[in-house]
Amino acid sequence: MDSGSPYQWLRELRRDSQSSNPVSLLIECAKCVASGSIKHADIGLEYISQVSSPDGNAVQRMVTYFSKALGYKIVKQLPGVYKALNSSKTSLSSDDIHAQKYFYELCPFLKFSYLITNQAIVEKMEFEKVVHIIDLHCSEPAQWINLIQTLKKRQGGPPHLKITGIHENKEVLDQMSFHLTTEAGNLDFPLQFNPIVSRLEDVDFENLPVKTGEAVAITSALQLHSLLAIDDEMVGKISPAGPSSINMQRAVQMGQRTFADWLERDMINAYILSPDSALSPLFLGASPKMGIFLNAMRKLQPKLLVITEQESNLNGCNLMERIDRALYFYSSLFDCLDSTVTRTSVERQKLESMLLGEQIKNIITCEGADRKERHEKVEKWIRRLEMAGFAKVPLSNNGRIEATNLLQRYSHKYKFKEENDCLLVCWSDRPLFSVSAWSFRR
């Protein structure tokens, strides 16, 4: 590398890679990937592998998964190679399900969400005789078992409770049915569980078993953001020939150029053509999927809708912006795991690898309709839901007290704050997840 190279950081790595800041190295390497400088990115990724580890401290572990994602970002420009390394999954695997279970068990975020959700249901449905809950990602029996136990003690007797559980994996719903019906049987509680095997985007709200006179509550925990992915048809307008066709044409023109030279040229073009570029007309556009989905929910006239989402801004931004924002968000998640779970924990390792690592990979590697991890901050959800015909519901004071006790059992660094009548769960004053409650506006 000549002395005038703009990549002086790579020369410095040769002298002392062990003392380098892994996050700084990662950001410089990401700039290389974004600009199409694949040779420099390759050198940078090699050095990053020497100062990061999936078994190291929080920073080292996080950088490991970000660097892997950058590697996949490069390889994705070769569709055949990428597909060979990543067999497409049509449904959640058992590993995915276990990783989500570990997230529930090792972190307080979903427990916080479920606690606030249940308290909102109890208070909003206080005088209802038939309560119908539609759970858009029905995977954790503990949430509804707790609700059953609470409603059993309701003054005047419990309501007839119907739970329509939606999940793409039948085995998950079978387990839910077993646990809930067993608990209801033990308590002599009137429960009807309706399993619906479906992906979120395929839910047919018009054919859900909702009857006149039922008080409907809909719950969504960390699901709705996936509907923000730009439709395939919209991506097609950017590049009608499709990325595979473009890559094939470039391959024919490769001539005597080296493989790395061709990859560099291809990465530059791909970055410019990215539908998530800040210059793209789609940057400010909304996903039709989300509008259709919210309208379908509104037609059910839910008395309560509770939404939990990641408190980050990763939708509609270019590669470097979302890497920067993702580092901000996930550094806190790895940090809180480092503080509350032992480094030798197998469950923590699987959680980080199979859940957080896969989310990071999707955020960095994928574009357009393939990028499902499109987190947005609560103010955007508020505008979107208000425009869709929903009105905010104040969250329970009793729920706040219980939530405080829950978080303190994990660590004093966990806390929550209120913003725009929504609750934000924080790690050391850094908001990570939001919980908001809504109702159908007539």
Side-chain angles (χ1 to χ4, degrees):
M1 190 178 303
D2 60 66
S3 59
S5 169
Y7 302 102
Q8 184 176 354
W9 65 281
L10 289 175
R11 294 202 308 274
E12 295 173 353
L13 286 178
R14 298 179 186 276
R15 294 197 293 268
D16 189 5
S17 62
Q18 295 304 314
S19 64
S20 300
N21 182 340
V23 176
S24 297
L25 298 180
L26 182 76
I27 292 173
E28 293 300 326
C29 192
K31 291 177 182 177
C32 293
V33 174
S35 63
S37 301
I38 303 306
K39 296 173 187 175
H40 295 109
D42 180 55
I43 297 171
L45 288 173
E46 181 181 357
Y47 277 106
I48 287 175
S49 69
Q50 298 175 21
V51 296
S52 64
S53 168
D55 301 315
N57 60 35
V59 172
Q60 291 171 328
R61 300 199 310 273
M62 178 189 69
V63 168
T64 295
Y65 297 109
F66 271 82
S67 63
K68 283 185 178 181
L70 287 174
Y72 277 114
K73 181 73 173 176
I74 296 171
V75 174
K76 203 164 193 278
Q77 299 310 308
L78 302 172
V81 176
Y82 183 80
K83 288 180 180 178
L85 295 174
N86 297 270
S87 56
S88 59
K89 295 193 300 182
T90 57
S91 61
L92 290 176
S93 68
S94 59
D95 285 343
D96 295 326
I97 295 167
H98 286 140
Q100 293 177 358
K101 183 74 173 179
Y102 297 146
F103 181 68
Y104 169 79
E105 293 173 347
L106 301 180
C107 301
F109 306 114
L110 285 178
K111 290 186 179 72
F112 179 96
S113 167
Y114 296 158
L115 189 158
I116 296 297
T117 298
N118 285 0
Q119 190 62 38
I121 292 173
V122 168
E123 295 183 7
K124 193 71 173 177
M125 307 296 186
E126 184 178 4
F127 302 108
E128 299 292 345
K129 294 181 179 180
V130 181
V131 176
H132 191 160
I133 297 171
I134 300 171
D135 185 347
L136 297 182
H137 188 69
C138 194
S139 60
E140 182 46 61
Q143 177 181 13
W144 303 128
I145 287 176
N146 177 268
L147 180 66
I148 289 171
Q149 294 169 346
T150 302
L151 291 176
K152 177 66 177 178
K153 304 172 185 176
R154 190 177 78 167
Q155 188 175 2
H160 178 77
L161 181 63
K162 294 175 63 176
I163 299 178
T164 293
I166 298 169
H167 200 280
E168 62 182 86
N169 189 292
K170 183 178 182 299
E171 293 180 9
V172 171
L173 293 175
D174 289 343
Q175 286 295 312
M176 287 289 296
S177 178
F178 171 77
H179 289 295
L180 298 186
T181 54
T182 298
E183 183 67 17
N186 292 338
L187 295 177
D188 191 25
F189 186 96
L191 172 72
Q192 178 183 342
F193 183 74
N194 307 306
I196 304 287
V197 180
S198 174
R199 297 186 307 168
L200 182 67
E201 58 264 39
D202 297 328
V203 174
D204 184 357
F205 284 96
E206 292 184 357
N207 288 317
L208 293 182
V210 178
K211 296 182 179 179
T212 303
E214 296 176 348
V216 175
I218 303 175
T219 68
S220 173
L222 310 182
Q223 298 303 305
L224 288 187
H225 65 263
S226 67
L227 297 175
L228 293 169
I230 300 169
D231 286 358
D232 290 316
E233 303 91 306
M234 297 178 71
V235 176
K237 293 177 183 178
I238 295 282
S239 176
S244 296
S245 174
I246 293 173
N247 282 329
M248 286 298 292
Q249 293 171 16
R250 291 179 188 140
V252 171
Q253 300 168 359
M254 183 174 173
Q256 299 301 313
R257 284 191 288 137
T258 66
F259 179 74
D261 287 337
W262 176 62
L263 254 185
E264 285 200 9
R265 183 76 59 85
D266 199 69
M267 280 294 292
I268 293 171
N269 291 329
Y271 188 68
I272 292 172
L273 289 172
S274 168
D276 297 303
S277 168
L279 299 177
S280 168
L282 297 179
F283 179 65
L284 298 175
S287 170
K289 291 180 183 177
M290 180 62 73
I292 293 170
F293 196 89
L294 293 179
N295 185 56
M297 286 200 298
R298 185 179 179 277
K299 287 181 179 179
L300 294 179
Q301 301 185 18
K303 192 170 183 178
L304 183 67
L305 166 65
V306 184
I307 296 174
T308 302
E309 280 292 338
Q310 291 91 339
E311 182 66 4
S312 186
N313 185 14
L314 296 172
N315 182 35
C317 50
N318 63 38
L319 178 62
M320 285 309 301
E321 286 177 329
R322 66 179 187 258
I323 286 176
D324 182 61
R325 295 168 184 176
L327 282 169
Y328 185 86
F329 178 80
Y330 284 96
S331 63
S332 293
L333 282 183
F334 279 88
D335 189 32
C336 70
L337 281 168
D338 212 35
S339 300
T340 57
V341 185
T342 62
R343 194 171 295 180
T344 57
S345 168
V346 175
E347 291 80 9
R348 179 198 57 73
Q349 293 170 353
K350 290 182 177 180
L351 161 62
E352 292 178 347
S353 173
M354 295 184 293
L355 184 65
L356 303 186
E358 288 300 308
Q359 290 175 359
I360 291 168
K361 176 182 171 184
N362 183 264
I363 290 166
I364 295 176
T365 304
C366 298
E367 305 290 353
D370 292 333
R371 184 157 64 86
K372 303 296 184 182
E373 298 299 330
R374 293 174 170 269
H375 311 159
E376 288 194 337
K377 292 195 173 184
V378 70
E379 57 263 26
K380 289 189 177 180
W381 287 109
I382 290 173
R383 290 198 297 270
R384 182 177 289 114
L385 286 157
E386 288 178 342
M387 289 178 64
F390 291 93
K392 270 185 293 197
V393 172
L395 290 166
S396 163
N397 286 326
N398 291 333
R400 286 177 171 84
I401 295 172
E402 293 184 37
T404 299
N405 295 332
L406 166 69
L407 295 179
Q408 291 303 308
R409 290 200 296 270
Y410 279 82
S411 170
H412 70 279
K413 288 188 176 182
Y414 286 112
K415 57 193 73 175
F416 69 88
K417 65 179 181 179
E418 187 169 349
E419 184 175 300
N420 296 317
D421 295 324
C422 307
L423 297 183
L424 302 180
V425 193
C426 307
W427 172 256
S428 296
D429 296 321
R430 182 175 293 186
L432 294 179
F433 295 89
S434 67
V435 182
S436 59
W438 304 82
S439 66
F440 164 75
R441 189 174 63 223
R442 297 187 181 280

